[in-house]
Amino acid sequence: SQKIEQNSEALNIQEGKTATLTCNYTNYSPAYLQWYRQDPGRGPVFLLLIRENEKEKRKERLKVTFDTTLKQSLFHITASQPADSATYLCALDSNTGGFKTIFGAGTRLFVKA
Amino acid sequence: DVKVTQSSRYLVKRTGEKVFLECVQDMDHENMFWYRQDPGLGLRLIYFSYDVKMKEKGDIPEGYSVSREKKERFSLILESASTNQTSMYLCASRTSADTYGYTFGSGTRLTVV
């Protein structure tokens, strides 16, 4: 069955360091991969979308890589700040067209001052 | 600032009640979605709509129905609420899949007692 996995354990890092979150998937052929930020009790907020033929995408302090051979995406936050503390979700859009998206359960990030 | 607005942040309903969750978007998007989010699980799609008066079942439609009478409004209906429908409900809208992700509302935390 289609599966998307994010580390269920929280990630704790020190302010100023780079946070790296992982998203792995199996039995899926994604056309696009997305990353979202979600604060407690709130809806997810879209951050970045990367296409299957793109290896890397950047937005300010954020960088996403997408390796369709390894079936993995890495999400990096450089110079992390306490305000970056949140849960980060990855999501995959199918290449069969339409909006067939699967979401990961998310990884909680804590950035300590 | 573009928005998806859900009518209630918190709701408490009794088993067997009919429950209406309302969602309005101001982005003129054709596509609207209802997801539910439970701890440890990714977002799961209940229903979606590509156009006015059009609806498609998602992965977990049982016990739910939807209504889309106007482009900007998408309603989720729990025909007879049950305790296993206690969850966070998220409405979202989206334009084309290849450029941007979902815009989510703030969510409705529904408790069925």
Side-chain angles (χ1 to χ4, degrees):
Chain A
S1 62
Q2 298 168 345
K3 201 170 181 183
I4 183 169
E5 288 184 340
Q6 295 185 255
N7 194 338
S8 59
E9 291 184 14
L11 178 63
N12 292 280
I13 65 166
Q14 202 66 33
E15 182 177 10
K17 301 293 185 183
T18 295
T20 298
L21 285 70
T22 305
C23 176
N24 295 297
Y25 61 93
T26 56
N27 298 323
Y28 205 75
S29 296
Y32 318 109
L33 185 145
Q34 309 159 55
W35 282 90
Y36 292 81
R37 171 189 172 130
Q38 186 173 25
D39 293 293
R42 311 294 294 190
V45 175
F46 171 72
L47 297 174
L48 282 167
L49 181 148
I50 185 167
R51 297 178 177 79
E52 62 175 334
N53 59 353
E54 297 176 314
K55 297 297 182 188
E56 181 179 299
K57 199 157 203 177
R58 293 175 185 259
K59 179 183 175 183
E60 297 172 355
R61 294 185 295 112
L62 308 180
K63 185 179 86 171
V64 172
T65 63
F66 191 13
D67 189 326
T68 55
T69 301
L70 290 179
K71 296 186 184 298
Q72 181 182 78
S73 174
L74 299 178
F75 176 79
H76 306 273
I77 306 175
T78 58
S80 59
Q81 305 165 1
D84 295 326
S85 298
T87 296
Y88 291 87
L89 312 178
C90 72
L92 298 172
D93 286 314
S94 168
N95 64 1
T96 60
F99 292 101
K100 298 187 187 301
T101 309
I102 57 171
F103 283 84
T107 298
R108 188 86 167 92
L109 172 66
F110 292 97
V111 181
K112 297 179 182 178
Chain B
D1 200 14
V2 293
K3 274 189 178 176
V4 174
T5 303
Q6 294 183 230
S7 54
S8 304
R9 289 293 311 279
Y10 301 96
L11 276 178
V12 180
K13 297 292 181 180
R14 296 195 179 277
T15 302
E17 276 193 79
K18 191 169 186 176
V19 181
F20 293 86
L21 303 182
E22 306 287 345
C23 175
V24 177
Q25 53 103 356
D26 65 1
M27 294 165 286
D28 201 35
H29 287 169
E30 285 80 18
N31 311 296
M32 296 189 74
F33 307 80
W34 276 104
Y35 284 92
R36 65 177 281 177
Q37 185 177 33
D38 300 290
L41 303 176
L43 277 71
R44 292 180 292 167
L45 181 63
I46 304 171
Y47 268 96
F48 61 101
S49 170
Y50 286 133
D51 202 349
V52 175
K53 296 191 185 295
M54 176 274 176
K55 59 186 178 184
E56 292 284 345
K57 292 180 180 179
D59 300 318
I60 51 166
E62 296 78 20
Y64 304 95
S65 62
V66 290
S67 172
R68 191 156 181 211
E69 297 296 320
K70 294 184 177 181
K71 188 176 185 179
E72 68 271 17
R73 188 177 297 270
F74 192 35
S75 302
L76 179 69
I77 303 148
L78 285 67
E79 298 291 342
S80 177
S82 63
T83 55
N84 63 11
Q85 293 179 310
T86 292
S87 186
M88 169 71 102
Y89 289 88
L90 293 161
C91 176
S93 71
R94 193 174 184 187
T95 181
S96 58
D98 63 344
T99 55
Y100 208 79
Y102 294 85
T103 301
F104 285 93
S106 293
T108 297
R109 172 71 64 183
L110 173 67
T111 302
V112 183
V113 298

